[in-house]
């Protein structure tokens, strides 16, 4: 079965850092474009970042550009989102999604930024 | 950036009746490769989003055939031929033709 499992969320103070992980099963992460999408409490979906299958293209939403970095470990079949200089408005459930059309979603991991 | 709009934002429906959600983009979603990367997602209460339709009109595996997608250019529609109780939730359209990718604001579907 094709699935992704996000982890690494938690409570962090403003200005802090957190690294999210996305473990894939049933497919090889390096063969697919991958995205991170977030959803603030009670709000809609917001695309956060994209990493191409070749690894040569990274795209970020303006709201996270310069603070968030997406990367991949082919050996572990995992995708990561390094989040620095976190702000209150980054509080959300973060989802990892497979391919350009976002075919597969995990259950998400909750990031809470609060003092 | 491409802006996605949806209407209506709230849709009370009667069980067994059809329902329709409109999605419009601020510019054409035809990619240089000829594809239109327009998808529809369903998010039931308390659950993660689930993709229903990709590239305008292709149904994902396991999606009931009462769901259908259509459209071209900048205007797209998700139709439910006969609404069932399990269809309650929020529906989002999303374009991935242009960067940044963008979701619509969502349409909340509930039962009258």
């Amino acid at each position: 079965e094709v699935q992704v499992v996000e982890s690494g969320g938690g409570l962090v103070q403003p200005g802090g850092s957190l690294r999210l992980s996305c473990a894939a099963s049933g497919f090889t992460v390096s063969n697919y474009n991958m995205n991170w999408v977030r959803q603030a409490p009670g709000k809609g979906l917001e695309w956060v970042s994209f990493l191409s299958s070749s690894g040569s293209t990274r795209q970020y939403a303006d709201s996270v550009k310069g603070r968030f970095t997406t990367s991949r470990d082919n050996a572990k079949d995992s995708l990561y989102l390094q989040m620095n200089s976190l702000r209150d408005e980054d509080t959300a459930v973060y989802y990892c999604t497979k391919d350009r059309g976002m075919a597969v979603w995990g259950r998400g991991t909750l990031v809470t930024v609060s003092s | 950036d491409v802006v996605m709009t949806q209407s209506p934002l709230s849709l009370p429906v009667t069980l067994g009746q059809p329902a329709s959600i409109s999605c419009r983009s601020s510019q054409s979603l035809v990619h240089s490769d000829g594809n239109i990367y327009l998808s529809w997602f369903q998010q039931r209460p308390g659950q993660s989003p689930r993709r229903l339709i990709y590239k305008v009109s292709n149904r994902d595996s396991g999606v009931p055939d009462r769901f259908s997608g259509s459209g071209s250019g900048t205007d797209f529609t998700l139709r439910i031929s006969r609404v069932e109780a399990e269809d309650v939730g929020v529906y989002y359209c999303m374009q991935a033709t242009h960067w940044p990718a963008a979701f619509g604001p969502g349409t909340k579907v509930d039962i009258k």
Side-chain angles (χ1 to χ4, degrees):
Chain A
E1 182 187 2
V2 174
Q3 62 178 358
V4 294
V5 178
E6 304 90 342
S7 61
L11 175 63
V12 61
Q13 292 187 338
S17 298
L18 212 54
R19 187 198 196 205
L20 305 184
S21 299
C22 168
S25 58
F27 71 100
T28 301
V29 165
S30 59
N31 290 341
Y32 291 89
N33 299 321
M34 299 292 291
N35 294 273
W36 286 98
V37 175
R38 68 185 181 183
Q39 186 170 35
K43 302 297 184 182
L45 301 171
E46 179 189 15
W47 170 79
V48 172
S49 73
F50 166 87
L51 176 62
S52 66
S53 56
S54 66
S56 61
T57 301
R58 287 174 171 82
Q59 299 280 352
Y60 298 96
D62 286 346
S63 58
V64 307
K65 202 172 291 183
R67 300 187 298 123
F68 289 14
T69 303
T70 189
S71 62
R72 186 176 70 202
D73 185 330
N74 293 342
K76 295 184 178 180
D77 240 346
S78 292
L79 182 74
Y80 304 99
L81 185 66
Q82 177 67 42
M83 305 186 296
N84 299 328
S85 303
L86 283 162
R87 305 167 180 168
D88 291 350
E89 56 265 33
D90 295 319
T91 294
V93 174
Y94 285 74
Y95 297 100
C96 163
T97 71
K98 171 180 172 283
D99 79 32
R100 188 176 191 135
M102 304 192 197
V104 177
W105 296 61
R107 298 183 70 172
T109 186
L110 175 62
V111 172
T112 303
V113 184
S114 175
S115 53
Chain B
D1 295 356
V2 177
V3 177
M4 305 297 289
T5 57
Q6 290 181 228
S7 62
L9 298 182
S10 178
L11 182 57
V13 297
T14 301
L15 291 174
Q17 293 300 304
S20 178
I21 300 171
S22 172
C23 172
R24 289 183 174 172
S25 58
S26 59
Q27 59 183 273
S28 173
L29 297 186
V30 180
H31 193 273
S32 56
D33 64 9
N35 289 307
I36 299 177
Y37 294 98
L38 186 285
S39 300
W40 288 95
F41 299 86
Q42 174 195 61
Q43 188 172 30
R44 291 170 172 156
Q47 295 188 13
S48 300
R50 164 200 183 195
R51 195 177 71 176
L52 301 175
I53 302 286
Y54 64 97
K55 293 183 188 177
V56 181
S57 59
N58 297 276
R59 227 177 0 257
D60 274 279
S61 175
V63 174
D65 60 8
R66 64 179 181 275
F67 290 94
S68 64
S70 64
S72 62
T74 60
D75 289 338
F76 305 92
T77 302
L78 175 71
R79 290 186 176 86
I80 310 174
S81 59
R82 294 172 308 278
V83 173
E84 298 189 4
E86 66 179 19
D87 299 336
V88 166
V90 181
Y91 291 78
Y92 299 91
C93 61
M94 187 274 300
Q95 73 82 20
T97 293
H98 306 287
W99 296 113
F103 290 88
T107 295
K108 185 174 183 179
V109 172
D110 60 13
I111 306 301
K112 283 182 184 176

